[in-house]
Amino acid sequence: MADPSLPTVLVSTADRFVSAAADAIATRIANVIEARGRCRLVLAGGGTPRPIYEALVGREDVAWSAVDFFWGDERAVGPDHEQSNYRMAREALLDPLGVSDAHVFRIEGERSAAEACDAYAVTLGDSPLDVVLLGMGGDGHTASLFPGDPASVEMTAAVVVTLSPKPPAVRISLSLSTINAAKHVVLLVAGSGKAERLAQVWRELADGPQLPAARVRPTDGELLWLLDDAAAAALPQQVIP
Ligand code: 6PG
């Protein structure tokens, strides 16, 4: 019997990572839609997801009109800013799919961070999110939950304001409690530069989580790590299927 507190780990070669991730994500979105009629999908920012979003555009096995799009985090910038996570997803996924604005729920980074944070908590409502996509930074951060930031372990608020060591400093992020209440949490990690940190995260799953990425453990939902072989290289051999 697999240990339910550990992630399901899928490792792909670098040339297959994007298509394997798109397959796994599309399958989960389609299953949620089949079960519930709609899917509340949370998009990640950064560089790893972009080619995966572009690959998802071609997926005809997903009823995209039944998906409501949210974000795991946003920089305190406007929607057209080059560092906006919303802008990246709009360019790579939403515009190519022709998604109606009625189903797009972005974090308003142009507002004061506190206002954007409070407003997004209202937007999210009380229902658990269905599929949450996350990346992991080289320091073990995920979404915009950063090591050492007290807001990164906030378990009451649904959305938090955090400070990134890299600019733009001010971020708005789903809290750990919101992420861990989701039905499917998918961590997307690629590249050799993440390998040692990911191995530390894996150890912390057993020894007691310290890093934000190690604290991502859905209460009742699925935790899926989608890795390329470079990012998985330092994991214990038995972890790599
Ligand atoms: C962001 C992301 C952030 C990202 C990691 C990994 O706003 O930048 O939410 O958490 O997922 O920093 O970024 P890469 O995929 O570019 O390595």
Side-chain angles (χ1 to χ4, degrees), residues 13-230:
T13 54
D15 62 325
R16 289 271 310 132
F17 172 69
V18 167
S19 57
D23 283 347
I25 293 164
T27 299
R28 281 154 180 82
I29 296 170
N31 290 346
V32 168
I33 292 169
E34 185 177 351
R36 260 188 5 95
R38 292 197 67 79
C39 177
R40 287 159 42 103
L41 171 64
V42 175
L43 299 175
T48 303
R50 185 167 191 141
I52 298 168
Y53 297 161
E54 291 164 348
L56 283 171
V57 171
R59 303 295 302 224
E60 295 180 0
D61 52 336
V62 177
W64 292 107
S65 60
V67 178
D68 293 317
F69 295 85
F70 299 83
W71 275 257
D73 66 323
E74 186 56 276
R75 294 83 181 269
V77 296
D80 299 322
H81 192 283
E82 62 180 3
Q83 291 183 296
S84 163
N85 287 337
Y86 161 80
R87 174 177 166 179
M88 183 273 278
R90 177 158 283 291
E91 290 173 351
L93 182 65
L94 304 181
D95 283 351
L97 285 176
V99 173
S100 159
D101 284 344
H103 298 306
V104 176
F105 304 90
R106 69 178 181 90
I107 298 170
E108 296 165 298
E110 68 277 21
R111 297 177 65 174
S112 82
E115 286 174 353
C117 179
D118 293 345
Y120 210 57
V122 173
T123 298
L124 288 175
D126 297 328
S127 304
L129 293 159
D130 293 307
V131 179
V132 175
L133 306 183
L134 297 172
M136 187 194 78
D139 61 355
H141 81 258
T142 191
S144 279
L145 303 176
F146 294 94
D149 183 341
S152 293
V153 291
E154 162 64 40
M155 294 304 283
T156 307
V159 186
V160 289
V161 176
T162 66
L163 287 175
S164 165
K166 290 182 184 172
V170 178
R171 309 283 183 100
I172 300 101
S173 179
L174 297 189
S175 67
L176 201 55
S177 58
T178 300
I179 292 169
N180 285 340
K183 299 193 179 83
H184 302 274
V185 178
V186 183
L187 187 68
L188 302 161
V189 188
S192 58
K194 306 262 180 88
E196 288 304 325
R197 188 67 73 189
L198 191 64
Q200 179 186 349
V201 170
W202 177 266
R203 291 191 298 274
E204 288 189 8
L205 293 177
D207 301 343
Q210 300 296 322
L211 292 169
R215 295 180 187 273
V216 172
R217 303 167 76 175
T219 309
D220 297 318
E222 173 194 29
L223 178 57
L224 174 64
W225 284 10
L226 298 180
L227 314 175
D228 72 357
D229 46 13

